[in-house]
Amino acid sequence: MKKVGITGGMGCGKSTVLNEFRKLGIPCFVSDIVAAGYYCDPAFLDDLRALLGDSVFVADGTADKRAVAARIFADRKLLEGLNALVHPRVMDDFDTFCSRHSGAPYVLFESAILFDYGFDRLMDSVVCVYLDLEERLARLSLRDSASRDQLMARIDHQLPAEEMMRRADYVILNYEGNPRARQVAFVDKSLRQ
Ligand code: ADP
């Protein structure tokens, strides 16, 4: 099974580009969405409680994701602890996803932190969706109700988009007016070979 990573900085248009690949029948694994589902899994919640304690849980037993984010982004060790809980589960689920789609020409694995944690080494190729910082901030301020400083704080946790672009095998430039579908068709054709 050919595995293709797709990455890019927050707000560059990964989800939008992924939809173009879906139109071509390519199975897409979105790691953020899969990982968000773990917050409904009692075994994961037990591990989370062991890592972060009761303070990130609310009365009904669910975890408060904002409280989790506040703790882990303030303490590198806790961030690593959470990654150690999440990443192996994501890779197991991705393996299951691949076996379910064994007839596909390739599968896409979407992650903004693909290079940061070495997931790229598990992929046959990597596609980067690129947009410069100012353009991303402009789009994100329309999508999320967050200030420029809040957006920058999140962006600063990621590898610079230019570094992602440098390390990728394919780059899709997602500027308005650029022929996105044509770029995706070109990459898709190459990946099918
Ligand atoms: P990511 O998944 O990388 O965070 P999204 O796909 O959610 O990014 O795109 C960020 C925002 O930019 C969304 O509101 C999306 O609708 C918008 N967007 C994406 N691609 C384009 C484009 N080519 N032209 C204009 N707006 C776009």
Side-chain angles (χ1 to χ4, degrees):
M1 166 57 73
K2 191 175 195 176
K3 296 168 184 172
V4 179
I6 181 161
T7 192
M10 198 176 107
C12 65
K14 290 182 296 302
S15 313
T16 315
V17 167
L18 221 56
N19 281 335
E20 297 290 346
F21 280 100
R22 284 198 182 96
K23 285 185 206 160
L24 302 175
I26 301 304
C28 299
F29 182 93
V30 182
S31 50
D32 265 5
I33 293 180
V34 173
Y38 299 154
Y39 285 81
C40 300
D41 170 2
F44 176 79
L45 292 178
D46 285 347
D47 289 346
L48 191 69
R49 197 183 290 274
L51 178 73
L52 299 178
D54 290 334
S55 65
V56 297
F57 285 84
V58 290
D60 65 0
T62 58
D64 174 355
K65 284 198 203 155
R66 274 170 192 246
V68 171
R71 291 285 304 284
I72 60 164
F73 287 124
D75 184 335
R76 181 128 206 115
K77 276 224 153 59
L78 292 179
L79 174 63
E80 283 167 13
L82 183 66
N83 285 339
L85 298 182
V86 173
H87 293 177
R89 283 176 161 93
V90 167
M91 290 331 291
D92 277 356
D93 286 342
F94 182 54
D95 280 346
T96 308
F97 181 85
C98 289
S99 24
R100 238 190 269 134
H101 294 284
S102 57
Y106 60 93
V107 294
L108 281 174
F109 176 88
E110 195 232 80
S111 169
I113 53 171
L114 189 86
F115 289 119
D116 309 60
Y117 292 102
F119 293 127
D120 57 305
R121 291 197 290 271
L122 307 172
M123 303 293 145
D124 298 289
S125 303
V126 174
V127 179
C128 174
V129 183
Y130 179 80
L131 205 59
D132 64 72
L133 185 61
E134 282 309 316
E135 193 63 39
R136 282 159 61 203
L137 285 167
R139 287 184 193 177
L140 285 170
S141 62
L142 296 176
R143 190 189 73 178
D144 306 351
S145 54
S147 70
R148 188 185 168 98
D149 284 352
Q150 286 168 327
L151 292 171
M152 277 311 298
R154 286 190 239 157
I155 286 173
D156 281 343
H157 271 100
Q158 301 181 340
L159 204 66
E162 288 69 24
E163 174 70 11
M164 296 188 198
M165 175 160 68
R166 198 181 62 73
R167 292 171 63 174
D169 303 293
Y170 300 91
V171 176
I172 291 176
L173 298 176
N174 190 27
Y175 287 95
E176 204 169 350
N178 254 22
R180 187 172 55 226
R182 259 174 60 198
Q183 293 183 78
V184 169
F186 178 85
V187 173
D188 172 70
K189 192 171 167 200
S190 169
L191 288 171
R192 284 171 192 259
Q193 276 161 10

